[in-house]
Amino acid sequence: MRMTLAIHCQQYTVHSFSPLTTIPAAVLTQDIFFIGKTQEELSIVVPADVELDSLEQEQGWCCLEVMGPLGFSMTGILARIAATLADAQVSIFSISTFDTDYILIKENKLAVAVAALKKKGYQIIEYEQ
């Protein structure tokens, strides 16, 4: 099976908050956002143009979406993508939803990541909303 990944054209920022922080209303109005919370932290990923007063933030992330939906019985998809990118010295920040996986890659590594993935047979397209 030939896997397709779509590049989202906008950039994202990963924010870190105290786990007691109330989620800012601006987050919930975005077309795409991700929230993860543990006892130690609250992490929020939003488009880069959304300004949040976070403890820390990491800017300049591009997003690759694994085109799905992917069934829960499908195994190794994210592992194979992560291994391909690790071999190319590309760090990732991965996020999963019910239907698919998203891989965030720093903008300055996107070309290297795309080349490595294409070399392994992945099809890369631009995301169309």
Side-chain angles (χ1 to χ4, degrees), residues 15 17 21-30 33 35 42 44 46 50-54:
H15 294 270
F17 296 89
T21 303
T22 300
I23 296 168
V27 171
L28 303 176
T29 63
Q30 301 307 306
F33 63 88
I35 299 172
L42 169 67
I44 299 177
V46 289
V50 177
E51 293 186 25
L52 301 177
D53 186 19
S54 54

Side-chain angles (χ1 to χ4, degrees), residues 20 63 128:
L20 302 176
C63 180
E128 295 181 25

Side-chain angles (χ1 to χ4, degrees), residues 45-118:
V45 178
V46 289
D49 60 349
V50 177
E51 293 186 25
L52 301 177
D53 186 19
S54 54
L55 297 173
E56 290 183 64
Q57 58 183 263
E58 183 74 26
Q59 301 174 328
W61 293 94
C62 295
C63 180
L64 290 175
E65 177 181 347
V66 180
M67 299 307 290
L70 307 174
F72 284 106
S73 63
M74 298 176 76
T75 60
I77 293 169
L78 186 56
R80 285 190 293 277
I81 293 169
T84 298
L85 296 175
D87 289 345
Q89 302 298 307
V90 176
S91 295
I92 66 169
F93 183 95
S94 63
I95 301 167
S96 296
T97 65
F98 190 90
D99 285 336
T100 195
D101 298 312
Y102 296 82
I103 298 104
L104 299 181
I105 298 166
K106 292 296 266 185
E107 179 187 30
N108 65 350
K109 292 288 195 170
L110 184 60
V112 172
V114 167
L117 291 163
K118 283 183 175 180

